[in-house]
Amino acid sequence: MKKVLITGITGQDGAYLSRLLLDKGYEVHGIVRRVALEDPEHRLWRIKDILGKVKLHSGSLESYASLFDVVAKVNPDECYHLGAQSFVSYSFEDEFSTINTNINGTHYILSSIKNKSPKCKFYFAASSEQFGQVKEVPQKETTPFHPRSPYGISKVAGFDLTRNYREGYGLFACNGILFNHESPMRGYEFVTRKISMGAAKIKRGLSKELRLGNLEAKRDWGFAVDYCEAMYLMLQQDEPDDYVIATGETHTVKEFAELAFKHVGLDWKDYVKKDESLFRPAEVHELKGDASKAKKILGWQPKVNFEGLVRMMVDEDLKRLKK
Ligand code: NAP
Ligand code: G4F
């Protein structure tokens, strides 16, 4: 039985990836913060129904010793490093903790694997945020990076660390440059979930308005389950490499809101209020990915389109509120 170690198992992607790998017969190990084990009801909600099937180890991305110990104990065949401070807005408020956690965490786990499990295949959760002030549209593997946030900078460093452990130490290490991917398990602070829950609450009479920042920003939004499949495929290849994963379609935040409200029979203009305080000090204006390489080499294709994604998220939030 193959063993996999997942950092960030309590997050959106960690929860879906665990299910995918359990279904494929893997022994799934996850690293969680110690406080999560003390308060599983709140902190482990995304993996509640698979808690009996996965093995959790306490550890922090801030502690080399804790990561080293888990890697040494598990000796995984594959490691998906998804753990990170992943909220871009927050990275402007606390750039030091974002940069420390994200860069050091990636370095610590790579070094632990090099020393204790050098045959382990490694996946790094790189990001389209690395393209920042984009140099071309659409963005592909060869597009230069110009990050526009402390988070983006931390992901460029993680990308370079991963590539360097591949080139310098011969690790099977891949970067998945994933564009935004969403789902009913997305965190509430991200704009898609804020909109889907906001529209559902207004529909149910639980809220009167929804305050949003930059409505003109464009994102290439896909479905998280499709993107976890791509992560898995990257580690099944004969050679390690870096891949862009995206739908190739881009939409504004305004279009997302328009469709979400329309789906519940409302006009977004009656409820969405623009709030200047939610604008970022530096914005990434337009993301649109070209996943031709992944399509050709991994045989990967997204299955859920923009309209399907918006409807799915709003429907799930309506159901959740009913309960
Ligand atoms: P998420 O829901 O925010 O999950 C982040 C995970 O990292 C959580 O499990 C969190 O644990 C863990 N974590 C954060 N700080 C930690 C620390 N100091 N020690 C241990 N664990 C820590 O993120 P996601 O959407 O699943 O994304 C997964 C990864 O892909 C992230 O690295 C993100 O930056 C990257 N990414 C995401 C997207 C996207 O659109 N979703 C696109 C490109 C790249 P707690 O539950 O304890 O906080
Ligand atoms: O949903 P967001 O916070 O996602 P963002 O910043 O694109 O980052 C996400 O995707 C990255 C991949 O490119 C990941 F690496 C990262 O971890 C994360 O998952 O914001 C999307 C857009 C931004 O342009 C933002 O300015 O929506 C705009 N926006 C407008 N009003 C808002 C809001 N964003 C948030 N979070 N909240 C608002 O009220």
Side-chain angles (χ1 to χ4, degrees):
M1 192 186 252
K2 271 194 184 173
K3 283 186 282 183
V4 61
L5 178 62
I6 302 175
T7 72
I9 193 169
T10 59
Q12 170 190 257
D13 292 2
Y16 285 121
L17 184 67
S18 308
R19 287 171 176 80
L20 184 149
L21 295 173
L22 282 171
D23 287 349
K24 291 191 186 292
Y26 280 72
E27 182 179 305
V28 176
H29 295 255
I31 294 181
V32 297
R33 297 192 242 207
R34 195 186 54 80
V35 282
L37 299 173
E38 277 174 10
D39 183 14
E41 185 62 29
H42 292 107
R43 293 176 182 262
L44 301 178
W45 65 273
R46 290 190 180 96
I47 52 171
K48 210 155 72 178
D49 56 319
I50 53 165
L51 276 180
K53 298 180 185 160
V54 296
K55 296 178 201 301
L56 299 181
H57 306 264
S58 67
S60 167
L61 296 177
E62 285 127 59
S63 154
Y64 179 69
S66 72
L67 298 182
F68 184 90
D69 284 352
V70 178
V71 169
K73 196 154 108 190
V74 176
N75 190 18
D77 298 286
E78 292 175 17
C79 173
Y80 296 83
H81 175 42
L82 311 179
Q85 192 303 95
S86 76
F87 189 35
V88 175
S89 271
Y90 181 71
S91 80
F92 284 105
E93 287 168 39
D94 189 352
E95 71 266 42
F96 290 98
S97 79
T98 301
I99 282 182
N100 287 342
T101 303
N102 291 3
I103 301 181
N104 289 340
T106 304
H107 196 184
Y108 296 160
I109 191 104
L110 275 165
S111 169
S112 304
I113 286 173
K114 170 175 94 72
N115 287 310
K116 295 309 285 183
S117 293
K119 295 216 171 351
C120 173
K121 293 182 168 182
F122 178 82
Y123 172 88
F124 174 62
S127 165
S128 51
E129 187 71 13
Q130 292 167 215
F131 295 119
Q133 185 84 315
V134 301
K135 301 286 184 261
E136 59 181 343
V137 181
Q139 298 86 44
K140 48 184 183 288
E141 291 79 4
T142 50
T143 305
F145 299 138
H146 182 148
R148 296 263 285 170
S149 62
Y151 168 83
I153 293 167
S154 78
K155 286 291 177 178
V156 171
F159 177 98
D160 283 335
L161 276 163
T162 301
R163 187 169 50 188
N164 195 244
Y165 268 77
R166 178 169 77 220
E167 294 174 356
Y169 301 113
L171 287 197
F172 189 111
C174 300
N175 284 297
I177 310 172
L178 271 50
F179 282 61
N180 298 52
H181 46 281
E182 319 293 318
S183 73
M185 287 215 272
R186 186 58 142 152
Y188 291 100
E189 69 272 48
F190 297 95
V191 78
T192 54
R193 192 72 198 284
K194 194 171 163 183
I195 296 172
S196 65
M197 185 48 99
K201 276 189 174 165
I202 291 169
K203 179 66 182 173
R204 294 259 185 257
L206 299 169
S207 182
K208 289 195 164 47
E209 64 171 33
L210 175 64
R211 303 190 82 79
L212 294 175
N214 183 7
L215 298 172
E216 305 307 326
K218 290 182 170 172
R219 289 292 182 273
D220 179 332
W221 280 296
F223 179 40
V225 171
D226 290 344
Y227 286 48
C228 288
E229 180 74 31
M231 297 176 194
Y232 165 76
L233 289 172
M234 282 179 219
L235 297 201
Q236 310 316 308
Q237 305 307 303
D238 292 334
E239 297 298 329
D241 207 343
D242 308 324
Y243 298 91
V244 158
I245 301 297
T247 69
E249 248 189 63
T250 190
H251 295 273
T252 58
V253 171
K254 194 197 290 175
E255 285 169 335
F256 196 106
E258 197 172 354
L259 192 53
F261 279 84
K262 194 170 162 204
H263 189 55
V264 295
L266 301 173
D267 185 343
W268 73 282
K269 289 197 236 72
D270 296 334
Y271 303 96
V272 172
K273 305 279 176 279
K274 203 159 147 186
D275 184 340
E276 298 287 334
S277 72
L278 295 170
F279 278 59
R280 295 175 181 179
E283 177 64 280
V284 171
H285 296 289
E286 180 174 13
L287 291 177
K288 181 180 181 186
D290 173 356
S292 313
K293 179 176 170 184
K295 286 180 183 165
K296 186 165 167 234
I297 298 175
L298 307 178
W300 178 81
Q301 279 285 355
K303 297 186 185 82
V304 175
N305 67 10
F306 178 68
E307 286 76 14
L309 178 67
V310 178
R311 289 193 195 106
M312 176 204 305
M313 290 179 71
V314 175
D315 286 341
E316 284 301 316
D317 280 333
L318 283 170
K319 268 193 234 157
R320 218 166 252 160
L321 291 178
K322 210 173 189 177
K323 276 189 206 152

